[in-house]
Amino acid sequence: MSVVSVYAIFATAEEAERIGRIVVEERLAACINILGICRSIYRWQGEVETAEEVPAILKTTGEAADALISRIAGLHSYDVPCIAVWPIEKLLLSYAEWAEQSVGPLGNA
């Protein structure tokens, strides 16, 4: 099984949906789960900032993770977006098979 989760933070739910739709259509991700608004506290350009942001979890394969990270970063509104890969230790086999079939060259589905 080569499915991984990609965690990303977006400025708005609209940005998460726009980027999520693109990467699913391009078969870089099987799906995206857009979560509720969160409050983030972080240091940026020497100042401590607070912002409302939108986290999301995308599912992809380990082989496609680098391409997915690059694509999200290229579409993202932030100069330095949070995009992290989380390994999945265990997963329902039928879900893993669906995710693996959903990622990859067009026409594999």
Side-chain angles (χ1 to χ4, degrees), residues 11-95:
T12 64
E14 292 78 17
E15 180 179 51
E17 184 168 344
R18 177 181 61 81
I19 292 173
R21 182 168 299 278
I22 290 169
V23 298
V24 170
E25 287 174 352
E26 293 178 353
R27 299 181 64 95
L28 292 171
C31 67
I32 182 172
N33 303 119
I34 301 169
L35 307 176
I37 294 172
C38 70
R39 180 165 289 296
S40 298
I41 301 169
Y42 54 93
R43 182 173 300 280
W44 180 248
Q45 297 179 342
E47 301 292 326
V48 175
E49 303 281 341
T50 302
E52 288 189 344
E53 298 179 296
V54 177
I57 302 170
L58 301 97
K59 270 68 81 196
T60 192
T61 62
E63 296 80 22
D66 286 340
L68 177 59
I69 289 169
S70 293
R71 186 67 168 132
I72 293 170
L75 295 167
H76 209 287
S77 63
Y78 290 176
D79 292 337
V80 183
C82 170
I83 309 168
V85 175
W86 292 344
I88 297 175
E89 186 175 323
K90 296 182 186 210
L91 186 62
L92 180 69
L93 181 58
S94 57
Y95 185 88

